[in-house]
């Protein structure tokens, strides 16, 4: 199945829209071509290629909405799916929060597509696996990894004259390395829009070294410790905060952004003044589409500036209720870092713990943004500026808000899961119990 050009996508969407008889109609067209390779026990287990396409019609009569989906785009199929959406709309109850489709919009040209990523071959994927498996076996380590790469497009049109199109590429890689004696584990993740930025050997060696270093971990007492969070660990907590800047939940008293006396914390200082957090669809390291699912343009938006809440996200309905302009939810999260390398941060730590990543994170209290979870795949004790030995994993209870108020220093930024997150040194991070898991 093809990745449609802007002209091809528009032609299909215009044809589908021509069949609409509803008061309003919005149609989304998307597709992707994706390849992957998976390996475990130092052997490739699966490899594949998937191509998909889908067209979704949302028809409305007044505030009654119906939706139908199809993956065939001949005229008869398009007419059928539009008719089906309209039939469902007539049967649906009214949606009191229904918003009519937007009119025409102006979008920045996105930078999400890289041709080299779209041209990844099965041979390239096999070489990635080899660059994990061969060095792992040489170190008495077993590799289990997954590479997923591809290109995709999305386009939308509506009866009010809006048309939007975006094409993107991405590559995602994760690998876990386990020592063959079962006592050590390492892990790494990498993701990029541009495959040329990905170094499989470098990433795999990071995980191998973590696995070897973490063998025969020692137990230390739970408690409050200074921690150095690698970006993957920091991101696990921060992304829960980044995508919780929701004005409605704050105004309704349901989130950490709710003010004690009602309303929200817009304009209030909530974290250390060194914290600056924003989203930007045109950032060269973490680009995204320049429009969202409603067709609203996405622009660079500051969420926290010098520790102060600068913006909250307002969907169109809630913005209308509050008499303010809509503010789209962030498409990525970018946190300002510092110049320190990981080695610098370790060297400047008298006593502390280095955390590779967290997992099994669960919400404890949404109004304080308190989470619990476990460390995993490489946790190390630091003393007098050096990693002394690996330690057994901990369960933690911590809030990113408390964490960012206990900030000691910020290091270099790293891309993680489409976000740009720095290394962080945090004091008084709360570990509540030990875990025997490697």
């Amino acid at each position: 199945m093809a990745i449609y050009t802007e002209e091809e996508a528009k032609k299909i969407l215009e044809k589908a829209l021509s069949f609409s008889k509803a008061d309003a109609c919005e149609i989304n067209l998307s597709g992707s071509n994706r390849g992957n390779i998976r390996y475990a026990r130092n052997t490739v287990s699966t490899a594949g290629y998937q191509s998909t396409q889908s067209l979704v019609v949302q028809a409305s009569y007044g505030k009654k909405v119906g939706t139908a989906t199809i993956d065939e785009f001949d005229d008869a199929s398009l007419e059928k799916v539009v008719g089906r959406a309209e039939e469902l709309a007539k049967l649906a109850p009214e949606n009191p929060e229904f918003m009519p489709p937007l009119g025409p919009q102006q979008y920045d040209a996105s930078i999400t597509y890289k041709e080299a990523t779209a041209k990844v071959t099965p041979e390239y994927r096999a070489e990635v696996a080899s660059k994990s498996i061969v060095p792992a076996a040489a170190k008495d380590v077993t590799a289990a990894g997954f590479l997923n790469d591809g290109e995709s497009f999305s386009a939308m049109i509506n009866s009010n004259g809006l048309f939007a199109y975006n094409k993107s590429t991405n590559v995602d890689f994760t690998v876990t390395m386990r020592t063959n004696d079962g006592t050590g584990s390492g892990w790494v993740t990498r993701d990029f829009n541009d495959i040329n930025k990905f170094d499989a050997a470098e990433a795999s060696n990071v995980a191998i070294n973590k696995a070897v270093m973490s063998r025969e971990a020692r137990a230390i007492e739970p408690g409050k410790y200074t921690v150095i969070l690698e970006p993957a660990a920091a991101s696990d907590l921060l992304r829960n905060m980044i995508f919780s800047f929701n004005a409605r939940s704050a105004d309704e008293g349901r989130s950490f952004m709710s003010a004690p006396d009602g309303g929200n914390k817009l304009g209030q200082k909530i974290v250390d003044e060194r914290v600056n957090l924003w989203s930007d669809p045109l950032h060269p390291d973490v680009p995204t589409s320049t429009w969202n699912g409603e067709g609203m343009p996405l622009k660079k938006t500051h969420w926290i500036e010098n520790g102060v809440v600068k913006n909250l996200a307002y969907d169109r309905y809630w913005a209308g209720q509050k008499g303010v302009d809509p503010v789209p939810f962030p498409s990525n999260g970018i946190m300002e870092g510092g110049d320190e390398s990981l080695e610098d941060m370790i060297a400047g730590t008298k006593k502390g713990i280095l955390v590779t990543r967290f997992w099994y994170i669960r919400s404890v209290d949404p109004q304080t943004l308190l989470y619990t979870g476990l460390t995993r795949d490489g946790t190390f004790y630091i003393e007098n500026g050096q990693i002394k030995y690996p330690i057994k994993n901990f369960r933690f209870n911590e809030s990113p808000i408390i964490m960012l108020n206990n900030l000691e220093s910020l290091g270099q930024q790293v891309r993680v899961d489409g976000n740009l997150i720095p290394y962080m040194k945090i004091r008084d991070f709360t570990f509540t119990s030990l875990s025997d898991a490697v």
Side-chain angles (χ1 to χ4, degrees):
M1 297 179 187
I3 296 294
Y4 294 117
T5 65
E6 183 171 350
E7 294 74 19
E8 291 169 335
K10 190 173 185 180
K11 184 177 180 180
I12 293 170
L13 288 169
E14 287 178 337
K15 172 60 72 171
L17 188 62
S18 71
F19 295 118
S20 175
K21 302 178 181 64
D23 295 342
C25 185
E26 178 181 291
I27 307 175
N28 284 269
L29 176 65
S30 62
S32 66
N33 293 325
R34 307 204 62 82
N36 64 78
I37 191 165
R38 187 187 301 272
Y39 49 99
R41 295 185 177 181
N42 284 350
T43 302
V44 172
S45 54
T46 61
Y49 186 83
Q50 182 181 44
S51 185
T52 62
Q53 60 183 17
S54 177
L55 183 140
V56 182
V57 178
Q58 179 179 286
S60 59
Y61 290 93
K63 294 186 176 183
K64 303 171 69 173
V65 181
T67 302
T69 304
I70 202 166
D71 60 4
E72 296 177 300
F73 307 146
D74 59 276
D75 288 5
S77 296
L78 294 175
E79 184 174 16
K80 179 180 178 181
V81 72
V82 172
R84 180 60 175 160
E86 292 175 348
E87 290 174 8
L88 292 170
K90 292 174 182 177
L91 295 171
E94 286 194 349
N95 176 3
E97 298 185 7
F98 172 78
M99 298 299 294
L102 290 167
Q105 305 289 311
Q106 293 292 320
Y107 305 114
D108 294 321
S110 71
I111 55 173
T112 51
Y113 186 84
K114 298 294 181 181
E115 188 173 358
T117 311
K119 292 185 174 180
V120 169
T121 63
E123 290 78 11
Y124 177 91
R125 298 182 195 109
E127 185 66 21
V128 168
S130 175
K131 288 178 178 178
S132 276
I133 293 168
V134 172
K139 292 286 185 72
D140 200 27
V141 170
T142 297
F146 184 62
L147 174 75
N148 186 36
D149 62 83
E151 58 178 334
S152 61
F153 80 96
S154 56
M156 69 179 297
I157 199 170
N158 70 34
S159 52
N160 284 346
L162 180 146
F163 175 76
Y165 177 86
N166 187 68
K167 187 164 66 168
S168 64
T169 53
N170 74 288
V171 54
D172 293 288
F173 173 77
T174 60
V175 64
T176 300
M177 300 288 186
R178 289 290 179 97
T179 59
N180 290 335
D181 63 5
T183 67
S185 181
W187 173 89
V188 75
T189 183
R190 296 286 188 270
D191 68 289
F192 302 100
N193 296 85
D194 185 355
I195 194 72
N196 291 318
K197 295 181 178 181
F198 173 52
D199 186 337
E202 175 273 335
S204 297
N205 283 328
V206 169
I208 291 169
N209 291 336
K210 284 281 182 72
V212 172
M213 288 172 59
S214 65
R215 285 184 297 197
E216 299 180 355
R218 306 182 193 179
I220 66 173
E221 286 296 316
K224 290 184 179 292
Y225 288 90
T226 293
V227 296
I228 297 174
L229 301 181
E230 294 197 13
S235 175
D236 284 337
L237 288 175
L238 288 180
R239 64 187 172 198
N240 289 311
M241 182 184 78
I242 292 168
F243 297 102
S244 296
F245 279 69
N246 185 328
R248 182 171 186 173
S249 62
D251 292 339
E252 293 179 342
R254 297 184 285 113
S255 87
F256 74 100
M257 282 292 184
S258 301
D261 55 350
N264 59 56
K265 295 180 181 177
L266 192 62
Q268 296 184 25
K269 183 176 181 294
I270 63 168
V271 290
D272 188 285
E273 58 272 7
R274 288 169 291 177
V275 176
N276 291 284
L277 183 64
W278 67 96
S279 56
D280 183 2
L282 296 179
H283 193 289
D285 292 326
V286 286
T288 72
S289 174
T290 55
W291 50 276
N292 69 7
E294 288 188 287
M296 294 181 65
L298 297 176
K299 303 287 185 179
K300 184 176 181 178
T301 304
H302 289 271
W303 302 99
I304 296 179
E305 196 169 89
N306 300 325
V308 176
V309 180
K310 300 298 289 187
N311 277 293
L312 294 175
Y314 286 82
D315 62 32
R316 292 169 59 214
Y317 171 78
W318 197 246
Q321 296 297 302
K322 294 298 180 179
V324 299
D325 293 331
V327 178
F329 284 84
S331 57
N332 57 17
I334 303 165
M335 183 170 170
E336 185 176 30
D339 296 328
E340 283 188 282
S341 66
L342 174 60
E343 292 74 19
D344 293 334
M345 299 183 91
I346 293 171
T349 302
K350 186 175 181 180
K351 288 186 179 181
I353 293 172
L354 173 64
V355 178
T356 297
R357 70 157 172 156
F358 298 125
W359 76 296
Y360 206 67
I361 297 172
R362 295 293 183 268
S363 175
V364 176
D365 182 1
Q367 291 188 310
T368 60
L369 217 63
L370 181 65
Y371 290 94
T372 188
L374 298 159
T375 64
R376 183 174 178 177
D377 297 318
T379 309
F380 303 94
Y381 183 67
I382 302 168
E383 189 173 83
N384 296 325
Q386 294 184 334
I387 293 177
K388 284 296 185 180
Y389 47 81
I391 57 175
K392 287 184 177 292
N393 287 306
F394 285 115
R395 173 169 291 281
F396 70 87
N397 274 21
E398 195 58 85
S399 163
I401 302 300
I402 296 173
M403 182 177 86
L404 293 178
N405 275 292
N406 289 338
L407 183 63
E408 288 202 354
S409 62
L410 293 169
Q412 296 167 343
Q413 294 171 310
V414 175
R415 174 170 171 152
V416 181
D417 293 333
N419 303 306
L420 206 56
I421 306 297
Y423 289 91
M424 298 182 193
K425 185 189 288 188
I426 308 293
R427 64 180 176 274
D428 293 334
F429 194 92
T430 306
F431 294 114
T432 56
S433 61
L434 288 171
S435 169
D436 285 330
V438 175

